[in-house]
Amino acid sequence: MSLPPFQRLVDAHWRDVARVAHALSGSGDAEDVAQQAWTKALAAYPALRSATNLRGWLLTVTARCAVDAHRAGSRRPLPVAEVPEPTGPASAGTTGPDPGVDSTDGPVWDAVRALPERQRIAVTLRYVVDLDHASISRALGTTPAASRRLVSDALATLRATARPLEEHR
Amino acid sequence: MTGPAEDPLRAALRGLRADVSPPLIDGGDLRFVVEDTPVGQLLLAARLDGTLLTSSFVGDDAEADSLLDRLAQRVSPRVLRGGEVLDAPRRQLDEYLTGRRRAFGLELDLTLATPFQRLVLDRLTREVGYGTTVSYSGLAVALGRPGSARAVGAALGANPLCVVLPCHRVVAASGALTGYAGGITAKRYLLDLEAAGTAGSPE
């Protein structure tokens, strides 16, 4: 077993790490969460016993950093909405049908952040970065079946809360 | 919970973009940079204390990747791009390659060299000064191993610290320029540079 140079992970996955951080923490804290995730991942990296699914590992570390930051920051008042950074019109890698979604401001993301913690992590890892249930269940210390339930419960809640809000926007 | 194929909720989740810059990460065990120089692309890698592990010609990304793989396996997988520890090697290399420096003042780490390579490179560095050359057999004799010219050539060919440890100063007994990791043109450039430097002003 040999681990690739850490920089290769950074180059391949930094966008997904940023997306998980934004989804779970919002644009106000996402930079700090992502930075913390990289620091923690770098520290833990040489001791990894397997080089398979490094992406899943990295995104799990990121999710845990977001949870830690959320807990540490729960005493603070909610951050005010941030002005999204300007982005180029033809940014590469748009995967969704709505190219305007470039920040986590908005009712869907408010609803995601209002979910119970485990549901929030599960639905983010499943749909924002397409992790499979085997990886998600490892991240949450649970079974794939339980991970599926968390995701479906999360989707049900989001449908009930986020969509009416979207329509009234 | 079966939605239509184009479920807008899932699409919104999948469509999240976070257009930020690549992270700047402190620490790691090794920092590297691929430097464009007059003799080609050199991959410089240093430990955090500044000791230089490689100065190696890399013709393309695949060569750079395989060298980085080797560093990850042999030294540490905590390999990151850029960093201040590379400032001195980059500056000294630039000074050398533009004729403003004759010797390097860098701490070197020969982890990637075999014991025989270390003997050869050490002898080379001490005995073959700026602007001079030696033959493979001459260096073998200097090492007290007159029959080992071929092994000396192989050892130099795998020099992990090209330019810094001057394997370009070793030429065929006829004086012809033979193989060089950076190509014959690079070898010619380095020898011409040193010859000009020792002949006084190049003008």
Side-chain angles (χ1 to χ4, degrees), chain A residues 6-87:
Chain A
F6 194 78
Q7 186 66 50
R8 202 168 292 156
L9 269 65
V10 179
D11 292 342
H13 305 307
W14 69 268
R15 285 182 182 80
D16 280 340
V17 165
R19 293 169 78 228
V20 169
H22 274 78
L24 293 176
S25 300
S27 47
D29 291 329
E31 288 275 349
D32 284 339
V33 166
Q35 193 64 45
Q36 214 168 46
W38 286 115
T39 302
K40 281 194 176 172
L42 179 65
Y45 189 54
L48 284 188
R49 279 164 298 177
S50 164
T52 58
N53 199 10
L54 291 172
R55 179 176 181 270
W57 167 72
L58 207 49
L59 297 174
T60 296
V61 170
T62 308
R64 288 187 180 151
C65 284
V67 169
D68 291 346
H70 182 72
R71 286 176 184 162
S74 59
R75 281 155 281 138
R76 287 180 307 174
L78 284 172
V80 295
E82 298 234 329
V83 180
E85 290 190 20
T87 53

Side-chain angles (χ1 to χ4, degrees), chain A residues 86-155:
Chain A
T87 53
S91 185
T94 51
T95 51
D98 177 7
V101 178
D102 62 354
S103 95
T104 53
D105 298 329
V108 170
W109 300 104
D110 290 342
V112 168
R113 283 188 290 276
L115 289 170
E117 185 175 281
R118 292 168 72 78
Q119 287 186 28
R120 180 160 38 100
I121 295 169
V123 80
T124 295
L125 294 180
R126 180 69 195 92
Y127 287 117
V128 177
V129 288
D130 278 321
L131 282 198
D132 58 24
H133 283 287
S135 299
I136 297 167
S137 60
R138 274 195 295 276
L140 292 168
T142 183
T143 62
S147 152
R148 273 176 215 284
R149 273 197 302 281
L150 286 167
V151 170
S152 80
D153 289 351
L155 284 178

